[in-house]
Amino acid sequence: MIHLKTFNKKQLESFVLSGEFQKYDFLPITQHRAKSQIANPKAYDDQTLLILAFDDDHLAGYLGCLPDNFKMDNETFRYAWLSTLFISNQFRGKKIAQKLLNKAFDEYNGNIAITEFTKEAESLYNKIGVFKYIEPKEGKRYYFRTDLENIIPSKKEKTAFLKPVFRIADSAANFFISIKNSFIRHPDFPVEILDHLDKESVDFISNFKSNRTADEINWAIENPWILEGEKTDEKYLFSSYSKSFKYFWLKVYCENKNLITCSLLILRDGHLKIPYLFSIADLTQFIDFLNYFIIENKVKTMTCYQTELNQKIETSLSFPSIHQRKIERRYMFHEKLINHLPENFKPNFQDGDGDCLMT
């Protein structure tokens, strides 16, 4: 018999502190992700953060919700992102995913959004017929170093035995790329890199319309879903640990030392993302520093959905990418969420909105 159990802030805290979440064959959440969910400034005490599905006493699956809101005409409209959905193979075929989703719909009155979904999950969401696509974000993925050793075998398994050859080719190619990039130096204008948003940053970004405040960005930095370390949570099927994972809060000044650009950067295992970007300048100086940051931190790839930045990079002669390709981030809204929002409502998402800020 399938039954469901929901957890709000207080219940989730008790569930994790008791250690009960660790007794199952797989983890429905990690301790640090639970801590982060509980500290989320946009999460109300009564909102459901986690839903577990049991087949009798056996954990069969779970669904995670990340509360969020839109500010519209000084009013707060509450909704949630689906951040995890997992069903154990042992319990497939019992429509547990549908039951979990229906419960989430009930808990949030249909005000549910999704992004960064797998093809398998997207197929499920389309099948149940209540989600609609909204306007996607067009982006770019930039490549700065070759990685034939990993890319080719991942696409063509039969070439795995050639890894040593690909490794040599990578070394040779990246050697010449490093020589070319050695001419990129730290720009001569003032720059600060912090591990949090300071008062000057708070005041600066308050002048921009954004779905996230400074407090919320600091919450993410101080309560990460991913910890640095070689260990892995084999019992948890979503992001939990990475060899390297770090947030950088970047402040760029013009020559007269006035703040002109602030940005949050995430660097994870050599992959760079730009979740938030706020600027009153044309981004030339930001790109100049970004060039240096990429080389200094041996960045392999960068994913960026910041439209103005991508357009500016197109005209930059110094940007160190060796290849780029277009990408798309799709979003799905529950039909009730669309109906509850004003007609022609534009969410104006930045890269970090949703749980993208956390991974």
Side-chain angles (χ1 to χ4, degrees):
M1 182 69 177
I2 304 298
H3 63 279
L4 306 178
K5 186 175 182 180
T6 61
F7 296 82
N8 59 25
K9 280 187 176 185
K10 186 175 181 179
Q11 293 162 339
L12 182 59
E13 184 176 30
S14 297
F15 180 59
V16 172
L17 287 176
S18 70
E20 185 181 355
F21 76 109
Q22 294 180 320
K23 75 179 186 180
Y24 304 107
D25 293 335
F26 55 91
L27 293 178
I29 197 167
T30 63
Q31 190 166 9
H32 53 276
R33 184 178 285 213
K35 176 186 174 184
S36 180
Q37 283 271 45
I38 294 164
N40 179 4
K42 284 186 172 177
Y44 290 74
D45 291 343
D46 62 335
Q47 287 181 304
T48 293
L49 306 180
L50 181 67
I51 308 172
L52 303 187
F54 293 90
D55 189 341
D56 292 331
D57 293 329
H58 300 284
L59 181 62
Y62 58 86
L63 182 151
C65 299
L66 177 65
D68 204 341
N69 61 54
F70 292 121
K71 296 291 186 182
M72 300 182 297
D73 299 326
N74 296 319
E75 293 187 2
T76 300
F77 178 87
R78 295 159 62 177
Y79 70 103
W81 298 88
L82 294 187
S83 62
T84 55
L85 176 60
F86 174 76
I87 310 299
S88 170
N89 287 332
Q90 183 181 349
F91 301 97
R92 295 289 173 94
K94 297 189 176 185
K95 297 185 177 180
I96 295 173
Q98 181 71 71
K99 290 180 172 64
L100 285 166
L101 286 166
N102 286 341
K103 185 63 175 176
F105 302 158
D106 290 342
E107 294 292 308
Y108 284 91
N109 193 26
N111 295 324
I112 295 292
I114 324 171
T115 191
E116 294 287 279
F117 32 75
T118 64
K119 289 182 178 180
E120 181 183 14
E122 183 177 13
S123 176
L124 170 65
Y125 302 145
N126 281 319
K127 183 178 179 180
I128 61 178
V130 298
F131 285 103
K132 297 186 182 300
Y133 292 98
I134 65 167
E135 185 178 357
K137 288 185 72 69
E138 304 294 331
K140 292 281 187 73
R141 179 157 294 148
Y142 301 92
Y143 299 82
F144 306 104
R145 301 171 65 83
T146 68
D147 192 19
L148 303 177
E149 178 185 0
N150 294 306
I151 293 175
I152 296 179
S154 68
K155 295 182 179 296
K156 297 183 179 180
E157 293 183 5
K158 292 182 179 180
T159 65
F161 74 97
L162 292 173
K163 269 195 169 188
V165 177
F166 298 142
R167 189 180 306 125
I168 294 172
D170 282 332
S171 296
N174 289 325
F175 172 74
F176 288 106
I177 291 170
S178 297
I179 293 176
K180 176 179 73 72
N181 291 337
S182 65
F183 296 98
I184 295 177
R185 296 283 188 267
H186 193 296
D188 56 6
F189 49 82
V191 174
E192 278 189 72
I193 296 181
L194 307 177
D195 60 1
H196 67 287
L197 279 68
D198 59 359
K199 186 179 185 307
E200 183 181 36
S201 302
V202 172
D203 293 340
F204 182 79
I205 72 170
S206 68
N207 297 307
F208 296 83
K209 185 177 181 180
S210 173
N211 290 316
R212 290 205 191 274
T213 66
D215 284 345
E216 292 159 20
I217 296 175
N218 273 334
W219 154 70
I221 294 172
E222 295 164 5
N223 299 274
W225 286 8
I226 299 172
L227 301 182
E228 286 191 327
E230 296 289 339
K231 65 178 290 186
T232 58
D233 263 330
E234 295 181 0
K235 293 176 65 178
Y236 189 66
L237 283 301
F238 293 89
S239 297
S240 180
Y241 287 90
S242 283
K243 290 181 180 178
S244 64
F245 183 86
K246 191 171 183 179
Y247 291 99
F248 302 84
W249 182 251
L250 175 64
K251 300 167 65 180
V252 179
Y253 299 82
C254 60
E255 292 180 357
N256 62 8
K257 296 187 178 179
N258 286 328
L259 183 60
I260 56 173
T261 301
C262 284
S263 180
L264 182 69
L265 310 180
I266 298 178
L267 186 57
R268 177 179 178 180
D269 294 339
H271 182 76
L272 180 65
K273 295 197 298 185
I274 307 176
Y276 292 99
L277 177 60
F278 308 93
S279 183
I280 57 173
D282 68 356
L283 298 179
T284 297
Q285 288 177 266
F286 178 74
I287 292 174
D288 286 345
F289 181 79
L290 195 60
N291 295 344
Y292 170 78
F293 183 91
I294 288 166
I295 302 309
E296 183 71 10
N297 290 278
K298 297 181 172 60
V299 175
K300 297 177 183 178
T301 59
M302 181 178 84
T303 299
C304 180
Y305 293 94
Q306 304 284 357
T307 302
E308 185 181 352
L309 177 59
N310 286 333
Q311 291 172 345
K312 191 69 178 178
I313 287 174
E314 283 288 334
T315 64
S316 173
L317 299 178
S318 60
F319 195 66
S321 63
I322 59 173
H323 176 65
Q324 60 180 264
R325 65 180 177 89
K326 293 181 180 180
I327 54 176
E328 182 181 75
R329 174 177 288 162
R330 285 174 288 176
Y331 297 85
M332 284 179 157
F333 277 12
H334 192 287
E335 58 189 8
K336 284 189 176 181
L337 172 57
I338 294 174
N339 292 334
H340 293 158
L341 291 169
E343 189 175 359
N344 300 320
F345 176 77
K346 298 288 186 182
N348 296 317
F349 290 134
Q350 281 214 54
D351 289 24
D353 289 331
D355 61 4
C356 305
L357 174 61
M358 313 303 294
T359 60

